[in-house]
Amino acid sequence: MPRQTFFNLPEEKRKMIIDTALDEFGSRPYSKASLSRIVARAGIAKGSMYQYFEDKKDLFIYLLELAAGEKLAYIQQEIDPNADFFTACEQTILAGTRFGLNNPKLWQVMANAKDTTGEELLHEFIVKGKKMSRDYFSRMIRKGQEQGSIRRDVDTRLAAYMVSAMLSQGLMDYIMDLFGVGTLDELLARPELGQKLTEKEVRKMSSELTKLLRNGLGEMSS
Amino acid sequence: MPRQTFFNLPEEKRKMIIDTALDEFGSRPYSKASLSRIVARAGIAKGSMYQYFEDKKDLFIYLLELAAGEKLAYIQQEIDPNADFFTACEQTILAGTRFGLNNPKLWQVMANAKDTTGEELLHEFIVKGKKMSRDYFSRMIRKGQEQGSIRRDVDTRLAAYMVSAMLSQGLMDYIMDLFGVGTLDELLARPELGQKLTEKEVRKMSSELTKLLRNGLGEMSS
Amino acid sequence: MPRQTFFNLPEEKRKMIIDTALDEFGSRPYSKASLSRIVARAGIAKGSMYQYFEDKKDLFIYLLELAAGEKLAYIQQEIDPNADFFTACEQTILAGTRFGLNNPKLWQVMANAKDTTGEELLHEFIVKGKKMSRDYFSRMIRKGQEQGSIRRDVDTRLAAYMVSAMLSQGLMDYIMDLFGVGTLDELLARPELGQKLTEKEVRKMSSELTKLLRNGLGEMSS
Amino acid sequence: MPRQTFFNLPEEKRKMIIDTALDEFGSRPYSKASLSRIVARAGIAKGSMYQYFEDKKDLFIYLLELAAGEKLAYIQQEIDPNADFFTACEQTILAGTRFGLNNPKLWQVMANAKDTTGEELLHEFIVKGKKMSRDYFSRMIRKGQEQGSIRRDVDTRLAAYMVSAMLSQGLMDYIMDLFGVGTLDELLARPELGQKLTEKEVRKMSSELTKLLRNGLGEMSS
DNA sequence: GATGAATGAGATTTCATTCAT
DNA sequence: AATGAATGAAATCTCATTCAT
């Protein structure tokens, strides 16, 4: 957790620091991201950074929490709490995709938070994040079963893992492929691409994916 | 590519080097893995390593290719080439899971090959690997459509991304959860866990997942 | 350019670092000079050096600029700006020689700055330095022609190259020969030699060389 | 001195080794030139190199001797032994320039042999080479004085240093400037430049320089 | 005579973190 | 609260040379 000093900072300065840090952690794996570079670009003293955050990890986790929080808030505001499971899924995909496209920096940082093996605390934090995502889907699936829109014989836990994998990893790869880029970096570097994915296409994709979730791949009669 | 020198080495030594390197790259993200540590543990001179491999990246890529090659070979030998799509899927899941459990080091290195942002060539290599995996599923799906076991209205590309995400990311997370560990590291560190997943359970899982792929989550009548 | 950090240092420390570095770069060609050795001798941390200078090249160029600046200042103060060309030449030779004898370390570093092939930026810097020297002589020669002390049919550019070669390379070799040493190193190592070149001899040499520049080698009647 | 083994080699192989080595030492300062690179490019075993030459230094000196020998032979064959001093000078300049233009690799290696401070034996060798050059000019000057073409009051030693500096350093810089390049490397890289210096221009340059040597810069009446 | 694997010292550079001011 | 100099461990990589086969 950032120290109190950080929150005492004038909002402008705080934002600037966050932005610079997002840039750095967004464009490099955690272990290659450099505090030295961040303070240099932000134009603040290195010592100051250590007045604001305990250490590199603390800063990174703060950014992740920030990103996750904003994403969650955005998605929740777009979802109808009373919708049935598949409608909610579709809305989640839609909102998640839009959020990513509109907040590429945050998206990048989250995407960069995958491989942190060997960084004890950090790794735990990320595992915890994944778990939260799965628990969320677990609850939704269970609710769907109760409402009768999801088959009772579905293994809830297994399904939650799969939905989670699809909506985080799978969907992101798919979108990057649509853009014809291999990294989010390239996407950020060419903002004109942002236009390429029209609202219509995003809707189409969400609907297709939802259909897949509902019906699977198999012939209906089978 | 390793230099010829490496292949001229006595098999025993070569294996030892590979093993030591797998340990290192398996327990740290690429950028934190250290050649110095590897040579120290392997008991060879630093210079020697550079006679065998061009550089760190070369070594890492070699390990990845090794792992991918062995996994592919194992899976192919376990699959009935004439089986229909879903049977093949089930066999793939089964074989993939068994391979991972029996070759935890290789599994680990592959799992660690996610975050390589900022390492040009390496990143490209990994993106290429993902693409190969998806292309494989694409072909399988198309074949399934021709054979009539997969609905024609399924978006092949989207489906390939999803299947790929489920069988790589999703499945691995799920298995680790079954073991009650957050990292493959922990799994490696406690070999007794290997027993915990009985053959029966693995079969059950594969069958469940295949069912999910076929039927999706939705009520059949829906 | 050295970083601000370097200039913030207490003068004493700064001088010590410069001195140590001059010793190192004076006694080895650029590519063999070692930062590790410098910091070891200066008794500072390796990391500190990189707070002061961007890299090895930065340090070396700083030393060269320092030397060139001091030499220029010294020479300018010894020259009568209104003197005719040959008088100015004589004064330049005189002052340049004295400066070298009194600042053997700087002299050495400048002498060692010859072979930098394959070091892009560094090489450019040195080429630029040579060019400045030639331009200076070009201007002087042209002025001499206007004043009527230099023949109009002299090829200014060619002459500038020759004067420059004589006063940098030729003169230094000659002086080292006078001392009976093959390297400036040896000269530095035996400070008692400093006395050997009396003021009278230096004057004699400057005058002889000037005569050569003026009259060439040929018989006057020829 | 190369070992006998080297001379026992088939001429073709010997030439190839020499050529590869010339390339390497021609494009890098001695201390950066790499035996490893040479053997790799020449396609011979590293051990073999040590059967041919004692060490790096031995190889380098051999190349220098080779270059010097060839240059000397070329020049001598172009000079009229009975010519008077200034004619001989002009012929030397002419021949030296032509040799350099026609043997850019050798030229480069010789040019790269300037800064070898800190390499005991090597340095001595080079100092010796310079001395030989000066001694040659000393003898010529003395002869010129006896023949009456050079003034008796010229300080022979000083003059020899100056002529030597002009014809080695000064002339080379001048020519490179004519070509508009800063390094011999660039000259080698763009063979089309070779044409730029016409025979006529080379003659003009030699004649101008000789005139300078004879008459100096000063007004004749002065 | 040829080979080429082994060596290990040493080079430059980076970085998170501390701490006196 | 802010600063920024100091630190030193650690990383990757290169190279001349040796020596057993």
Side-chain angles (χ1 to χ4, degrees):
Chain A
M1 273 247 304
R3 301 175 195 273
Q4 186 53 44
T5 16
F6 181 62
F7 297 109
N8 294 344
L9 245 39
E11 167 144 357
E12 198 190 6
K13 187 169 184 181
R14 220 168 56 229
K15 269 199 175 151
M16 188 259 289
I17 292 175
I18 291 177
D19 248 40
T20 317
L22 283 175
D23 275 345
E24 177 72 11
F25 284 107
S27 58
R28 284 171 180 79
Y30 172 74
S31 37
K32 271 219 159 175
S34 148
L35 275 194
S36 301
R37 235 178 335 240
I38 294 174
V39 296
R41 287 198 194 147
I44 63 174
K46 215 181 277 193
S48 300
M49 208 63 171
Y50 281 84
Q51 304 251 26
Y52 307 148
F53 299 92
E54 283 202 14
D55 52 18
K56 189 183 174 184
K57 215 171 307 189
D58 190 30
L59 167 58
F60 188 51
I61 291 185
Y62 173 68
L63 295 180
L64 288 180
E65 275 171 342
L66 204 69
E70 292 204 11
K71 181 171 180 182
L72 192 63
Y74 181 86
I75 290 182
Q76 271 172 344
Q77 133 208 328
E78 297 271 320
I79 284 187
D80 170 7
N82 299 318
D84 80 304
F85 176 80
F86 292 108
T87 310
C89 254
E90 188 165 352
Q91 287 170 343
T92 303
I93 296 167
L94 209 53
T97 306
R98 279 198 205 114
F99 178 82
L101 292 174
N102 294 332
N103 300 274
K105 276 188 191 183
L106 298 182
W107 200 20
Q108 246 186 326
V109 172
M110 287 187 281
N112 259 358
K114 255 155 223 163
D115 192 351
T116 49
T117 324
E119 291 286 341
E120 283 312 85
L121 291 177
L122 185 47
H123 189 72
E124 269 171 43
F125 175 82
I126 288 169
V127 166
K128 213 174 62 191
K130 276 189 182 178
K131 187 164 157 34
M132 280 177 55
S133 155
R134 282 189 314 259
D135 287 348
Y136 170 70
F137 288 117
S138 272
R139 281 194 305 277
M140 280 183 72
I141 291 172
R142 210 161 292 127
K143 206 170 104 191
Q145 288 175 319
E146 284 158 15
Q147 293 174 339
S149 54
I150 296 184
R151 276 178 292 122
R152 305 263 169 180
D153 68 325
V154 161
D155 177 330
T156 321
R157 184 157 72 151
L158 183 61
Y161 272 95
M162 295 307 137
V163 172
S164 182
M166 283 188 270
L167 299 203
S168 63
Q169 188 62 48
L171 192 55
M172 190 162 75
D173 285 350
Y174 180 73
I175 292 174
M176 291 199 320
D177 194 18
L178 283 187
F179 282 120
V181 298
T183 11
L184 281 174
D185 265 338
E186 302 174 45
L187 211 125
L188 256 190
R190 302 162 56 196
E192 81 280 5
L193 288 179
Q195 315 299 348
K196 226 178 129 183
L197 255 200
T198 62
E199 177 66 15
K200 205 176 121 195
E201 285 170 322
V202 176
R203 280 180 185 284
K204 175 90 186 311
M205 185 185 76
S206 306
S207 138
E208 280 293 334
L209 182 44
T210 306
K211 212 172 64 188
L212 216 56
L213 287 175
R214 187 200 312 259
N215 303 324
L217 299 166
E219 267 300 337
M220 305 302 269
S221 59
S222 71
Chain B
M1 273 243 305
R3 300 176 198 273
Q4 186 54 43
T5 325
F6 181 63
F7 297 111
N8 295 344
L9 245 39
E11 167 143 358
E12 197 190 5
K13 187 167 183 180
R14 218 169 56 230
K15 271 201 173 148
M16 186 262 288
I17 291 174
I18 291 177
D19 250 39
T20 317
L22 283 175
D23 276 345
E24 178 71 11
F25 283 108
S27 60
R28 282 169 181 81
Y30 172 75
S31 37
K32 271 226 160 170
S34 149
L35 275 191
S36 300
R37 230 174 343 236
I38 294 174
V39 297
R41 286 198 195 147
I44 63 174
K46 215 175 286 190
S48 300
M49 207 62 173
Y50 283 86
Q51 301 247 34
Y52 307 148
F53 298 93
E54 284 202 13
D55 51 19
K56 191 183 173 183
K57 213 173 306 189
D58 190 31
L59 167 58
F60 188 50
I61 289 185
Y62 174 68
L63 296 179
L64 287 181
E65 276 171 344
L66 201 72
E70 292 204 10
K71 182 171 180 182
L72 192 63
Y74 181 86
I75 290 182
Q76 272 173 342
Q77 131 208 327
E78 296 272 321
I79 284 188
D80 171 6
N82 298 318
D84 81 302
F85 177 79
F86 291 109
T87 311
C89 255
E90 188 164 355
Q91 288 171 342
T92 301
I93 297 167
L94 208 53
T97 306
R98 279 199 204 115
F99 178 82
L101 293 173
N102 295 332
N103 301 274
K105 279 188 187 181
L106 296 183
W107 200 20
Q108 245 185 328
V109 171
M110 287 188 281
N112 257 359
K114 257 157 222 163
D115 193 350
T116 50
T117 323
E119 290 285 341
E120 281 310 88
L121 291 177
L122 187 46
H123 189 72
E124 270 172 42
F125 176 82
I126 288 169
V127 166
K128 214 174 62 191
K130 276 189 182 178
K131 186 165 158 35
M132 279 176 57
S133 155
R134 283 190 313 259
D135 287 347
Y136 170 70
F137 288 118
S138 272
R139 281 195 304 276
M140 280 183 72
I141 292 172
R142 213 161 291 128
K143 207 169 104 189
Q145 288 177 317
E146 286 158 16
Q147 294 173 340
S149 53
I150 295 186
R151 275 178 295 121
R152 305 263 169 180
D153 68 326
V154 161
D155 177 331
T156 320
R157 185 156 70 149
L158 183 61
Y161 271 94
M162 295 307 139
V163 173
S164 183
M166 282 188 269
L167 299 204
S168 63
Q169 189 62 47
L171 192 55
M172 190 163 73
D173 285 351
Y174 181 73
I175 292 174
M176 291 198 321
D177 194 19
L178 283 187
F179 282 121
V181 298
T183 14
L184 281 174
D185 265 337
E186 303 174 45
L187 210 127
L188 256 190
R190 302 161 57 195
E192 81 280 5
L193 287 179
Q195 315 299 345
K196 224 178 131 183
L197 253 201
T198 63
E199 177 66 16
K200 205 176 121 196
E201 284 171 322
V202 176
R203 281 184 185 283
K204 176 87 188 309
M205 186 186 74
S206 307
S207 138
E208 280 294 335
L209 182 44
T210 306
K211 213 172 64 189
L212 217 54
L213 286 175
R214 186 200 313 260
N215 302 324
L217 300 165
E219 264 302 338
M220 304 302 268
S221 60
S222 71
Chain C
M1 274 246 305
R3 300 177 198 275
Q4 187 53 43
T5 324
F6 181 63
F7 297 111
N8 295 344
L9 245 39
E11 168 144 356
E12 196 191 6
K13 187 168 184 179
R14 217 168 58 229
K15 271 200 173 148
M16 187 261 289
I17 291 174
I18 291 177
D19 249 38
T20 318
L22 284 175
D23 276 344
E24 178 71 12
F25 283 108
S27 59
R28 284 168 179 82
Y30 172 75
S31 39
K32 271 226 160 169
S34 150
L35 275 191
S36 299
R37 226 168 354 228
I38 294 174
V39 297
R41 288 199 193 146
I44 63 174
K46 218 176 281 192
S48 298
M49 207 62 174
Y50 282 86
Q51 300 247 38
Y52 306 149
F53 299 92
E54 286 204 11
D55 51 20
K56 190 184 173 181
K57 213 172 305 187
D58 191 30
L59 168 58
F60 188 50
I61 289 185
Y62 173 68
L63 296 179
L64 288 181
E65 276 172 343
L66 201 70
E70 293 205 9
K71 182 171 179 182
L72 192 62
Y74 181 85
I75 289 182
Q76 271 172 344
Q77 131 207 328
E78 297 271 320
I79 284 187
D80 170 7
N82 299 318
D84 81 301
F85 176 79
F86 292 108
T87 311
C89 253
E90 187 164 355
Q91 287 171 342
T92 303
I93 297 167
L94 208 53
T97 306
R98 278 199 205 115
F99 179 82
L101 292 173
N102 295 333
N103 301 274
K105 278 188 188 183
L106 297 183
W107 199 21
Q108 245 185 325
V109 171
M110 286 188 283
N112 257 359
K114 256 157 223 164
D115 192 349
T116 50
T117 324
E119 292 285 342
E120 281 310 86
L121 291 176
L122 186 47
H123 189 72
E124 270 171 43
F125 175 82
I126 289 169
V127 166
K128 214 174 61 190
K130 276 190 184 178
K131 187 166 157 32
M132 278 176 57
S133 155
R134 282 189 314 258
D135 287 348
Y136 171 69
F137 288 118
S138 272
R139 280 194 305 276
M140 280 183 71
I141 292 172
R142 209 160 295 128
K143 207 170 104 191
Q145 287 176 318
E146 285 159 14
Q147 294 175 338
S149 52
I150 295 186
R151 275 179 293 121
R152 305 258 170 185
D153 68 326
V154 161
D155 177 329
T156 319
R157 184 156 73 149
L158 183 61
Y161 272 94
M162 295 308 137
V163 172
S164 183
M166 282 188 270
L167 298 203
S168 63
Q169 188 64 48
L171 192 54
M172 190 163 73
D173 285 349
Y174 180 74
I175 292 173
M176 291 198 320
D177 194 20
L178 283 188
F179 281 121
V181 298
T183 13
L184 281 174
D185 265 338
E186 303 174 45
L187 210 125
L188 256 190
R190 302 161 59 195
E192 81 279 7
L193 288 179
Q195 315 300 345
K196 225 178 131 182
L197 254 201
T198 62
E199 177 65 15
K200 205 177 122 196
E201 284 170 322
V202 176
R203 280 182 185 284
K204 175 89 186 311
M205 186 185 73
S206 307
S207 139
E208 280 292 334
L209 182 45
T210 306
K211 211 172 63 186
L212 217 53
L213 287 174
R214 186 200 312 258
N215 302 325
L217 300 165
E219 266 300 338
M220 304 302 267
S221 60
S222 70
Chain D
M1 272 246 304
R3 300 175 197 274
Q4 186 51 44
T5 16
F6 181 63
F7 297 110
N8 294 344
L9 246 38
E11 166 145 357
E12 197 190 6
K13 187 169 182 179
R14 219 167 56 228
K15 268 199 174 150
M16 188 261 289
I17 292 175
I18 291 177
D19 248 40
T20 318
L22 283 175
D23 275 346
E24 178 71 11
F25 283 108
S27 58
R28 284 170 180 79
Y30 171 74
S31 38
K32 270 219 160 175
S34 148
L35 275 193
S36 302
R37 241 184 323 250
I38 294 174
V39 296
R41 287 198 193 147
I44 64 174
K46 215 181 278 193
S48 300
M49 208 64 172
Y50 281 86
Q51 305 249 25
Y52 307 148
F53 299 92
E54 282 202 17
D55 52 18
K56 190 183 174 183
K57 215 172 307 189
D58 191 30
L59 167 58
F60 187 50
I61 291 185
Y62 174 68
L63 295 178
L64 288 181
E65 276 172 341
L66 204 69
E70 292 204 11
K71 183 171 180 182
L72 192 62
Y74 181 86
I75 290 182
Q76 273 171 344
Q77 131 207 329
E78 297 270 320
I79 285 188
D80 170 8
N82 299 319
D84 80 302
F85 176 80
F86 292 109
T87 311
C89 255
E90 188 164 354
Q91 287 171 343
T92 303
I93 296 167
L94 208 53
T97 306
R98 279 198 204 116
F99 179 82
L101 292 174
N102 295 333
N103 302 273
K105 278 187 189 183
L106 298 181
W107 199 20
Q108 247 185 326
V109 172
M110 287 189 282
N112 259 359
K114 255 155 223 164
D115 191 351
T116 49
T117 324
E119 292 285 343
E120 283 309 88
L121 292 177
L122 185 48
H123 189 72
E124 272 171 41
F125 175 82
I126 289 169
V127 166
K128 214 174 62 192
K130 276 189 184 178
K131 187 167 158 32
M132 280 175 56
S133 154
R134 283 189 313 258
D135 287 349
Y136 170 69
F137 288 117
S138 272
R139 281 195 304 277
M140 280 183 72
I141 292 172
R142 212 161 292 127
K143 207 170 102 190
Q145 287 176 318
E146 286 159 14
Q147 293 173 341
S149 54
I150 296 185
R151 276 177 293 122
R152 304 262 169 183
D153 68 326
V154 160
D155 176 330
T156 319
R157 186 155 71 149
L158 183 62
Y161 272 95
M162 294 307 137
V163 172
S164 182
M166 282 188 270
L167 299 204
S168 63
Q169 188 63 46
L171 192 54
M172 190 162 73
D173 285 350
Y174 181 72
I175 292 174
M176 291 199 320
D177 194 20
L178 283 187
F179 282 120
V181 298
T183 10
L184 280 174
D185 265 338
E186 302 175 44
L187 210 127
L188 256 189
R190 301 162 58 195
E192 82 279 5
L193 288 179
Q195 315 298 346
K196 227 177 128 182
L197 253 202
T198 62
E199 177 65 16
K200 203 176 124 196
E201 285 170 321
V202 176
R203 280 182 186 285
K204 175 89 188 309
M205 187 185 74
S206 308
S207 138
E208 280 292 335
L209 182 45
T210 306
K211 212 172 64 187
L212 217 54
L213 287 175
R214 186 199 312 260
N215 302 326
L217 299 165
E219 266 300 340
M220 305 302 268
S221 61
S222 72

